[in-house]
Amino acid sequence: MFTPLQQFCDRLLLRSACRLCQRPATEILCLDCGRQLQACAQPRQWQSYGVTVWAWGDYAGLLRRALQQVKFDRDRELAQALGQCLADSLIDWPRSPQLQLVPIPIARDRYQQRGFNQAEVIASAVAAAQGWPCNRRSLRRLQATQALHGLSAEARRQEVAGVFDWQASRQSGEIWLVDDILTTGATLREATQTIRANGDRVRGWLLLSQTPALEGLNADKGSATILKLKKQRHPCRDSSVGRAED
Ligand SMILES: [Zn+2]
């Protein structure tokens, strides 16, 4: 608990609470949470379903908590911060004029409830940082699905069958689908299949997180490459996520 005097000083200095621990911070995360989030960066890359899968970190610890807060507390700024973390890990990617990011759309009622699509916010942050186009229009979700959490892989596959529509653009180029969490991959496979059925090629899936058990499900044993990162920028320093005070 903070004293009334501390609260008054915080208001005076325009300090707000860290989104993850509620301690005072001048930006959305305090220094400590920024460091912990930075430690979640363990990018992996592997091949699955004919595409390159690239995931920034495990869906665990602070990253899991942050993603839950994005969804359940409708925290768009935190989603942007996570997208910035992902973008910072991609600075060495080769520039390709053909590349475009396509976020996985959410159902209309969820969009109205939340006010944003977290995959779109993450994709936009990456697109802005990398100078890649973000295509929000071509892939549409035709119908809502029940929450996939708790369903078996087969039930997930059946639930998402036929939910997407792809309006091919003239220059589809090298498509990378973007999502916040990769679990069994049912949603991303369905989107990939829909795009392929319309004559376009999906080059890869770009994920903020993957569930820890995923490699066993989707990749041949031992085929996932753990990527070494160059020193990352602290999410609370030198980036749009901002500076924090403890
Ligand atoms: Zn914090």
Side-chain angles (χ1 to χ4, degrees):
M1 286 293 291
F2 300 108
T3 65
L5 179 61
Q6 279 175 313
Q7 288 173 347
F8 173 75
C9 289
D10 285 347
R11 278 202 299 275
L12 204 63
L13 295 169
L14 298 177
R15 280 197 289 215
S16 55
C18 167
R19 302 294 172 85
L20 294 174
C21 73
Q22 311 310 314
R23 282 183 292 182
T26 52
E27 299 294 342
I28 69 165
L29 294 181
C30 71
L31 203 59
D32 190 40
C33 289
R35 283 193 189 117
Q36 285 186 56
L37 196 58
Q38 187 184 32
C40 294
Q42 292 179 324
R44 283 158 203 251
Q45 178 178 304
W46 68 96
Q47 299 295 315
S48 176
Y49 200 62
V51 302
T52 299
V53 185
W54 197 100
W56 185 75
D58 281 349
Y59 183 64
L62 199 72
L63 181 54
R64 177 182 177 152
R65 216 176 107 206
L67 276 167
Q68 286 176 339
Q69 174 143 335
V70 164
K71 285 186 183 176
F72 302 123
D73 289 351
R74 304 174 198 169
D75 197 333
R76 186 189 183 113
E77 282 186 309
L78 187 54
Q80 284 173 330
L82 294 171
Q84 186 65 49
C85 289
L86 176 55
D88 286 349
S89 299
L90 303 173
I91 49 174
D92 294 333
W93 273 32
R95 297 275 160 186
S96 165
Q98 301 295 318
L99 193 150
Q100 66 166 294
L101 301 179
V102 176
I104 294 290
I106 56 173
R108 184 174 294 183
D109 60 336
R110 285 207 192 120
Y111 188 94
Q112 285 170 346
Q113 227 172 30
R114 200 172 293 155
F116 62 92
N117 170 8
Q118 68 281 358
E120 192 177 304
V121 174
I122 291 166
S124 296
V126 174
Q130 294 291 99
W132 296 331
C134 181
N135 178 350
R136 302 172 186 84
R137 296 189 176 177
S138 296
L139 186 65
R140 293 186 305 142
R141 192 179 276 256
L142 300 174
Q143 63 205 56
T145 51
Q146 63 168 309
L148 300 183
H149 180 73
L151 296 183
S152 68
E154 177 57 22
R156 283 171 183 249
R157 194 189 62 74
Q158 288 176 10
E159 183 64 24
V160 298
V163 299
F164 293 114
D165 175 53
W166 174 252
Q167 299 287 329
S169 55
R170 275 188 207 156
Q171 293 178 317
S172 290
E174 191 176 320
I175 296 165
W176 280 78
L177 293 172
V178 181
D179 211 353
D180 55 343
I181 306 166
L182 178 62
T183 309
T184 63
T187 303
L188 282 147
R189 275 201 296 271
E190 182 63 26
T192 300
Q193 193 176 322
T194 303
I195 293 170
R196 284 177 181 165
N198 284 280
D200 282 316
R201 178 171 174 256
V202 176
R203 174 79 178 75
W205 301 344
L206 186 59
L207 292 319
L208 184 67
S209 70
Q210 58 150 359
T211 53
L214 184 81
E215 281 171 57
L217 274 171
N218 275 352
D220 295 334
K221 198 168 182 179
S223 67
T225 309
I226 298 173
L227 305 166
K228 282 198 174 165
L229 282 181
K230 282 190 176 175
K231 193 170 185 298
Q232 278 205 292
R233 288 191 299 178
H234 192 291
C236 288
R237 277 183 189 158
D238 310 324
S239 80
S240 61
V241 182
R243 193 164 45 82
E245 286 182 9
D246 286 289

